[in-house]
């Protein structure tokens, strides 16, 4: 989307888009101060989460190959199969692949792809993971504002959406990448 622009143009466009995103989120927050209906609270927080997820999405539309330091993507000692299982990542994965959400990022699926795609897949999981980190940090400021104003129901609702739409996808990308690295150690030996 933004790949064809030069660096300066990308930065300017991102600032414009981010201005729009944060303005929408600010108005949703302001509106939410007047809302007491649980359904409206959940709806506002759902829209806020999706709105703020655009921050990470648009960043990678401009800067596709930006990554965290390589140490970040290495499997930690505690990230075992049981770690992901106990956190419910496998259940989240089943939900994801059996829902309309599976259509949102086709690049992180291996089904029907040649073995050579594994290298691309590994990079796509890193990009997606990083995008969800960025997108997950943005709602924290709104969550803190909800706490400051004593709007616990808003805080809980936004936290749940942030966990479901950012933390679990982040964990799923890590789990999938580690599975591929374990499954194809010889293929990926010099690449990861």
């Amino acid at each position: 989307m933004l790949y064809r622009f030069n660096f300066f143009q990308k930065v300017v466009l991102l600032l414009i888009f981010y201005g729009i995103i944060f303005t929408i989120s600010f108005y949703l927050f302001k509106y939410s101060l007047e809302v007491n209906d649980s359904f409206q609270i959940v709806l506002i927080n759902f829209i806020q989460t999706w709105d703020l997820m655009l921050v990470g999405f648009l960043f990678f539309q401009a800067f596709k190959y930006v990554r965290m330091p390589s140490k970040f993507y290495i499997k930690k000692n505690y990230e075992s199969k049981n770690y992901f299982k106990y956190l419910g990542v496998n259940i989240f994965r089943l939900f994801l692949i059996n829902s309309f959400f599976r259509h949102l990022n086709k690049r992180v699926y291996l089904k029907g792809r040649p073995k050579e795609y594994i290298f691309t897949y590994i990079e796509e999981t890193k990009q997606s993971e990083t995008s969800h980190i960025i997108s997950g940090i943005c709602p924290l400021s709104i969550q803190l504002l909800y706490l400051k104003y004593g709007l616990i129901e808003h805080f809980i609702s936004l936290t749940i959406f942030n966990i479901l739409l950012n933390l679990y996808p982040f964990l799923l990308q890590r789990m999938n990448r580690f599975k591929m690295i374990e499954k194809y150690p010889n293929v990926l030996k010099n690449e990861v």
Side-chain angles (χ1 to χ4, degrees):
M1 181 172 140
L2 300 175
Y3 301 131
R4 66 177 183 258
F5 296 103
N6 67 41
F7 180 81
F8 178 74
Q9 291 170 325
K10 289 177 185 179
V11 170
V12 169
L13 286 170
L14 279 179
L15 289 174
I16 291 167
F17 289 142
Y18 289 170
I20 293 167
I21 289 167
F22 291 117
T23 299
I24 291 169
S25 193
F26 172 76
Y27 279 108
L28 286 169
F29 172 76
K30 204 170 169 187
Y31 176 70
S32 69
L33 295 175
E34 303 164 10
V35 173
N36 291 324
D37 177 52
S38 293
F39 176 76
Q40 286 182 330
I41 290 170
V42 169
L43 183 62
I44 288 169
N45 293 147
F46 181 74
I47 294 168
Q48 260 180 332
T49 306
W50 278 99
D51 175 54
L52 292 169
M53 282 178 64
L54 288 173
V55 172
F57 172 78
L58 288 172
F59 180 82
F60 282 103
Q61 293 302 307
F63 304 106
K64 182 172 177 59
Y65 298 103
V66 171
R67 299 290 184 268
M68 303 290 269
S70 58
K71 287 181 182 181
F72 181 82
Y73 301 106
I74 296 172
K75 186 175 182 178
K76 310 297 185 265
N77 291 334
Y78 59 85
E79 291 178 309
S80 65
K81 288 179 183 178
N82 284 336
Y83 168 79
F84 292 110
K85 179 183 172 185
Y86 293 138
L87 288 176
V89 179
N90 294 320
I91 294 168
F92 177 79
R93 181 184 172 278
L94 285 175
F95 167 76
L96 188 68
I97 62 174
N98 291 304
S99 71
F100 76 93
F101 287 107
R102 74 176 177 272
H103 301 292
L104 294 180
N105 189 358
K106 297 236 182 222
R107 296 180 323 264
V108 291
Y109 290 97
L110 280 173
K111 192 173 185 177
R113 302 220 189 221
K115 206 176 211 180
E116 296 77 33
Y117 186 75
I118 294 171
F119 302 114
T120 304
Y121 174 82
I122 295 292
E123 282 307 306
E124 292 295 341
T125 61
K126 290 177 182 179
Q127 177 184 327
S128 183
E129 184 179 327
T130 308
S131 178
H132 283 290
I133 291 169
I134 294 168
S135 297
I137 290 171
C138 291
L140 291 176
S141 57
I142 305 293
Q143 288 171 283
L144 292 174
L145 283 173
Y146 283 140
L147 280 180
K148 179 182 176 187
Y149 286 94
L151 300 167
I152 302 302
E153 192 175 357
H154 292 274
F155 171 79
I156 292 170
S157 176
L158 188 57
T159 301
I160 290 169
F161 286 127
N162 200 14
I163 288 169
L164 291 176
L165 297 174
N166 287 308
L167 179 62
Y168 271 95
F170 163 82
L171 292 170
L172 180 61
Q173 296 307 320
R174 289 186 72 80
M175 182 182 82
N176 287 340
R177 186 172 59 256
F178 300 150
K179 278 184 181 179
M180 285 302 107
I181 292 169
E182 190 176 303
K183 187 174 181 178
Y184 299 105
N186 295 330
V187 176
L188 297 169
K189 182 173 26 178
N190 298 323
E191 299 293 330
V192 179

